[in-house]
Amino acid sequence: QVQLVEAGGGLVQAGGSLRLSCAASGIILSINSMGWYRQAPGKQRELVASLTSGGSTIYPNSMKGRFTISRDNAKNTGYLQMDSLKPEDTAVYYCSTDYNGMRIWGKGTLVTVSS
């Protein structure tokens, strides 16, 4: 069964840090690009960071400098390091990758940043 499971979310004060993880099963995460997305209440899902199979990273301008995407191929797990968090970073964070031409998603992990 192909599955992505996010973990590491929680409540953090503004200025703090969190490290999210995305454990993959039934799929080799390094074969395709993977991405982290987030969706805040009442807003559309947006890209936070992506990592190609070759190791190149892509960050939207609004995310540069505070978020770092990485992957541990031995653990088949992706990560999102989030620093200097702001209340507006509050959202459900999802990881995603491609499998047999389909985009698959985890169920997400909630990040809440208090002011």
Side-chain angles (χ1 to χ4, degrees):
Q1 181 182 2
V2 176
Q3 195 174 14
L4 300 175
V5 179
E6 301 95 337
L11 175 63
V12 63
Q13 287 188 331
S17 298
L18 280 176
R19 188 192 193 205
L20 306 183
S21 64
C22 173
S25 58
I27 184 174
I28 299 175
L29 203 54
S30 60
I31 288 180
N32 292 307
S33 296
M34 65 163 290
W36 283 95
Y37 296 75
R38 71 184 184 185
Q39 187 166 19
K43 294 188 177 181
Q44 289 188 331
R45 192 171 296 187
E46 61 177 346
L47 175 69
V48 175
S50 65
L51 177 63
T52 70
S53 56
S56 298
T57 56
I58 300 171
Y59 301 94
N61 287 335
S62 59
M63 308 294 178
K64 287 182 179 178
R66 298 190 299 120
F67 296 89
T68 304
I69 189 172
S70 63
R71 182 177 58 222
D72 186 329
N73 293 339
K75 294 182 178 180
N76 205 27
T77 299
Y79 300 96
L80 182 69
Q81 177 68 40
M82 306 187 295
D83 299 314
S84 302
L85 284 164
K86 305 174 182 179
E88 50 264 42
D89 295 319
T90 294
V92 177
Y93 285 73
Y94 302 88
C95 66
S96 179
T97 190
D98 293 320
Y99 177 72
N100 283 351
M102 298 185 300
R103 170 119 336 223
I104 60 171
W105 299 86
K107 293 184 177 180
T109 184
L110 176 63
V111 172
T112 303
V113 184
S114 63
S115 57

